[in-house]
Amino acid sequence: MLAFLIRSLEAAMIFTFAGLGELVDQRSGVLNVGLEGIMLFGATLGFIAAQTTGSYLVGFLVGIGIGALLGLLHGFFSITLGVDQVVSGMGIWIFGFGMTTYIGNPYTGPLGLERLPTWFGISPFFFLAIIMVAVVWFLLNKTGWGLSIRSVGEQPSVAEVSGLKVARIRYLCVIFGGVMAGFAGAVYGLYYNPVWNYNFLMGWGFISLALVFFSMWNPYLLFGGAVLFGLLWQLSLNPQMFFPGLASRYIWRMVPFAMTILVLILISSKWFRSRWGATTPEALGKPYYKE
Amino acid sequence: MTVAGYHIRLQRRTNLPGWKAALFSILAILFGLFLFSLIFWQAGQSPREIYKQIFGYAFFNSYGLRLTINRFIFLAFASYAFIIPYRAGLWNIGMPGQLYLGALAAFGVVYLLGGKTGEMTASQPVVITLMVLAALLAGALIGGIAGFLKGKWNVNEIVVTMMLNFIAFNLVAFMIKDGGPFMNLGGRGESFELPEAARAPLIAGFPYTLILVILLMIAIYLLFARMSLGYQIRAFGKNPPAARYAGVNPFWISVLVFLLGGALAGLAGYHYFAAVPGVYKIARTYGYFGDLSFYGMICGLISLGNPIATLFVALLFGGLSIGGRSAQGKLHLGFGVDYALMGMLMISLVAFQFFYHYQILITKQATPATARQYE
Amino acid sequence: MPRTRDAEPIELHGDIWKHIQPGEVILDARGITKRYPGGVLANDHIDFKIRAGEIHAILGENGAGKTTLMSILFGLLQPDEGEIYVRGLKVNFRSPEDAIKMGIGMVHQHRKLVPAHTVLENILLGHPKSRGVINVKEAEEEIEAIAQRYGFRVDPRARVWQLTEGEKQVVEIVKALYRGAKILILDEPTSALTPVETERLLESIETMTQEALGVVPFITHKLPMVLAISDQVTILRRGRVVDRLETAKATEQILAQKMVGRPVIFDLQKPDVTPGKPVIQVENLSARNNKGVIALKNASFTVREGEILGVAGVAGNGQHELAETLMGLRPAEGGRILFEGQDITHRSILDRWKLGLGYTPAERTEVGSIGDFTLVENVAMNYYFDKRYNHAGFLDYGGLRQLTEQIIEDFDVATPGPDVKIQTLSGGNLQKIILGRVLSRQPKLVIANLPAQGLDVGATEFVQRKLLEARSNQAAVILISEDLDEILSLSDWIAPMYEGEIVDIIPAAEARKDLIGAMIAGLHREN
């Protein structure tokens, strides 16, 4: 039971890392639907680097590095070149999906390194995730940097005439988003599920994306959603713990995905929106042209 | 920016002639193939040899060509499934889920008619018609979920279709593995084989679905070029508030495009598992075909949603992925070169989007009158 | 073009504004020239000076180059030629940030504020003080001090979307002053204000000039305003300065003539039309705005064939919601709409088009047209369902093309042809296509939402003539406008709106401008 809870929280921390990056990204007005691709890259390259060098540190650094690069690429496409953000994000996802399947294949199998240490059975990364949630919340809501980011995501032209450099702020945010996603992927591939397999991320990037919509761009709600989904995910893998013999394991595996859809419906409903006053960053997904 | 007396500037396009768009698409493909060749080069193979190998097998070898055509049909359906919602400004990345369900429904018809265990009483035309209808319906239904949610509550269709993919993936597993109803009793986690009467007839060695592909191309072309409905879809795709102002019903457009897209993806599933000679069952590796359907997205994007151009791109990509697989075996490349190709083509396509939106103006300095345009 | 950059002047800001003498030249623009791609000369060697303590009006029609000049002064655009000096120091603005640092502040016509943020956040945005952790209390006190000094009222904690247009403008002014602006550029400062708000603004501007600030309102057609408040006027026409004069020596007629370049006739010929039977009857109609607040309250009126009902009001008083609810773009919260006796309150938008309603929206590029479509495809927006052009689901593009050519001819649209994308058209020509498309259906009811806003004099006149023509053809017209002169010269009945209510419905013959002006400001309520 305890192991079940711990596993759930550890899944939650991965959703949180990826979601926090995407949240900041979206707050600055850039939608990155290629989260899954960046996470796959972070997981796969981090896995390969760690296995070849035998060093976890190298693995994580590679994961973060590739995340930053892909974030930069998304920024270059969507901010500088003015490519539709969804097209660019889709491109990064398919690029990540295709390339990691090819690159990672010879490394199929377990990582073969000693497991990372834990702290009372729970990964230190979990505490890092909690700290980051608080830090991101504080940065976004209490500081000038956060004000700049939110303004760029709401009304870039206003930010521009107020003397801000819209493109620069957005670049920083997408790179941050990439770093977090790459790191989340590395944590997944090096700690949570250190057995490389084709497409072993199983849509966690898309679930993280959905969690950002769910969070209404609030880091605390994001964390709450992540914990909920961590629990659901574990439940779907171990239904016999609570409901022995009820339905096939394949049916249980549908549950988190179905829940994601239900949650999206809930937050999109008028009732929910008017109750919580949820507002999308107004410039989300729209390229900004200085004219 | 100024280089050697020339002033270089970027300018947003307001107009892009069709031939230029086609040119950029071709350049994007070529650039993607160039990126792809880096893989061979890195593996110590000459890209020229490899491409000779790939194209030779895919298009000039009678066995390879057959595989190419079968894959082409599959990709064409998947591309149509992407294009129709795309023209309405909506993203259908649920082709995998839709095609799984299409296949399941087609097999379900055979199952219900008793074809799993014995001979069916119904005649071949009846069985096949029912299978196709079931595949269309099942694909449409799962696709329609995303359209309904989008139209009703503006739920993000990308996430929804992706989640439905995973759900459908597990549903197939449930049906064909671990004692599911469609499980092949003698097999290893695959479905029962279709009896003779449920297999698609061949025309000159190719499944009849090839004809459906051509007919659908004409239908989709007419839809967007001539029909009022296609006009409404395009208007909604380009400017939803303006379309609504003009009386277009956003809810129905969302639902309709996903119903149509899903139905066509369902047909892709029917084609691969019930019409390709030598398959006639839902294979253990059905997930691979789900992944392949993402090529449909690339075809649709690269042809800018044009159903005729899509066919050529689908044929090319079908050949490339078949030839790539063959080269992979012969030349001992890593597994999954067709995945790598997909990634390379996609990223190249995104990079080339730039040219659809911008032009580069190069002016000789001091004499603005001699401004010339290079693209 | 290579631009030599001067030694960083930005750091000098602290000293540059010390010891200003009233009357001293504080901003000097020399030979400002800006050429747009395609060869349009938006600014052609413009010179002008601003002195400390003066209010300097820049007058010109749309397209005269005011916006370009202003954008250059604020660093949003860079001039191709010309120099700008601030207190004698040559400056080179690469971005608004540079201009702000040199003491230039701008108040935009279309408010440049983030609606979702608080007033405080908007004022702090981009301010050097907002780096790091924001000290809310200190900032609030400083803002309060500025506001008090110039007689403004601001609530730093309010959200901007909740504010009226006038309050938003105050926020912009306070924001500029908080950043240390010494030269304040006001773009169309009174266009969205009620008379009372305008009065208050002018008082504050007086206070500012006494402190030797330079204030530059840019005004287009509000000639009385120029005369009332400015000390100097610079008149622009087609990118050139046509005249500079002291306001004291100018009259409305002189200014208008110089601005337009020909004598202006202020009256439109309105033919006599006998009103027919009622086309639309609205009873107690209510609707919500996008924020979910009731923004249209119990509107009731009737418009007959051959009548124009002019709905007057300052932006955001429910006119927009009225138009959208009539057309079905917005659900009615209560009340009924009868069209030729038929209840259409819950009919679809498409049904309303088919029944003979026609709507030209105020948002011409966002709603009224599809930029990526050709003119023909845009015309099809109102015809794709029409039996004449839709045969069993197939569109008759040949016929639509002919129709488009007809509209281009009838409405005098300047375009290379019917097959270009509509986004290549200028604002006036776009509006002509939209109006032409809607009027060509010969609708029984035309709802025109801000039909002439932002158009030049020629296009405005054309649009107004076409609306009168529709009236002569026995159409009922609902004209929504913020321009009282337009309302007065076109309407048969006038409905001033204030806070979502129709204050009164007055026959045009009995209407007085000052009375209606008071009604839309909420000062005068009859009944």
Side-chain angles (χ1 to χ4, degrees), chain A residues 138 142-145 147-148 150-151 154-155 157-165 282 290-291, chain C residues 74 76 95-97 100 108 112-117 121 124-126 130 132-134 175 179:
Chain A
F138 185 80
K142 293 287 165 200
T143 70
W145 299 301
L147 177 59
S148 303
R150 286 185 288 129
S151 304
E154 288 281 346
Q155 302 276 333
S157 64
V158 174
E160 180 85 36
V161 299
S162 302
L164 299 181
K165 303 240 183 329
E282 210 155 303
K290 201 168 140 185
E291 245 144 3
Chain C
F74 194 58
L76 279 164
S95 69
E97 194 184 3
I100 292 167
H108 306 262
K112 293 288 187 187
L113 295 170
V114 182
H117 288 180
E121 285 177 324
L124 278 178
L125 181 62
S130 74
V133 181
I134 294 171
K175 176 175 174 172
R179 293 286 304 253

Side-chain angles (χ1 to χ4, degrees), chain A residues 1-8 231 241-242:
Chain A
M1 186 67 204
L2 186 67
F4 175 88
L5 270 180
I6 287 179
R7 266 319 252 180
S8 306
L231 285 166
M241 270 183 71
F242 299 94

Side-chain angles (χ1 to χ4, degrees), chain B residues 280-308:
Chain B
Y280 301 129
K281 63 186 173 195
I282 301 177
R284 200 160 45 95
T285 55
Y286 64 95
Y288 171 64
F289 295 97
D291 296 346
L292 265 186
S293 68
F294 289 129
Y295 268 111
M297 177 163 95
I298 308 181
C299 296
L301 286 174
I302 224 160
S303 57
L304 300 173
N306 178 323
I308 301 172

Side-chain angles (χ1 to χ4, degrees), chain B residues 61-100:
Chain B
N61 169 312
S62 72
Y63 183 69
L65 184 65
R66 218 170 284 271
L67 294 180
T68 299
I69 295 293
N70 278 322
R71 186 155 290 185
F72 154 72
I73 298 169
F74 175 81
L75 292 186
F77 286 135
S79 308
Y80 296 156
F82 177 78
I83 282 180
I84 294 178
Y86 180 65
R87 292 298 285 267
L90 302 176
W91 287 78
N92 180 12
I93 59 167
M95 289 89 79
Q98 293 150 14
L99 78 90
Y100 298 151

Side-chain angles (χ1 to χ4, degrees), chain C residues 226-351:
Chain C
V226 173
L227 289 168
I229 67 163
S230 70
D231 305 313
Q232 291 282 331
V233 197
T234 297
I235 303 163
L236 295 187
R237 193 168 73 227
R238 292 194 187 156
R240 293 211 183 108
V241 175
V242 284
D243 207 354
R244 291 183 196 85
L245 52 146
E246 275 176 44
T247 313
K249 294 175 186 157
T251 68
E252 199 164 323
Q253 222 63 26
I254 293 175
L255 290 179
Q257 193 171 334
K258 285 186 190 291
M259 176 170 87
V260 182
R262 60 184 160 87
V264 187
I265 310 139
F266 280 104
D267 284 313
L268 219 68
Q269 291 300 317
K270 200 163 88 177
D272 287 329
V273 177
T274 323
K277 56 184 193 313
V279 176
I280 187 157
Q281 289 158 281
V282 174
E283 296 167 7
N284 293 319
L285 192 65
S286 300
R288 292 176 190 277
N289 64 12
N290 293 343
K291 298 282 176 195
V293 181
I294 292 277
L296 177 67
K297 297 169 197 159
N298 298 321
S300 299
F301 58 83
T302 299
V303 190
R304 295 163 193 281
E305 291 171 341
E307 276 184 353
I308 295 183
L309 173 74
V311 178
V314 178
N317 275 290
Q319 313 93 305
H320 191 70
E321 286 75 13
L322 172 64
E324 292 198 336
T325 312
L326 290 179
M327 201 55 207
L329 288 158
R330 192 176 283 282
E333 202 61 38
R336 295 204 299 170
I337 307 167
L338 298 180
F339 183 76
E340 298 193 308
Q342 206 185 127
D343 189 341
I344 61 162
T345 320
H346 301 290
R347 299 291 286 273
S348 73
I349 302 166
L350 186 60
D351 281 351

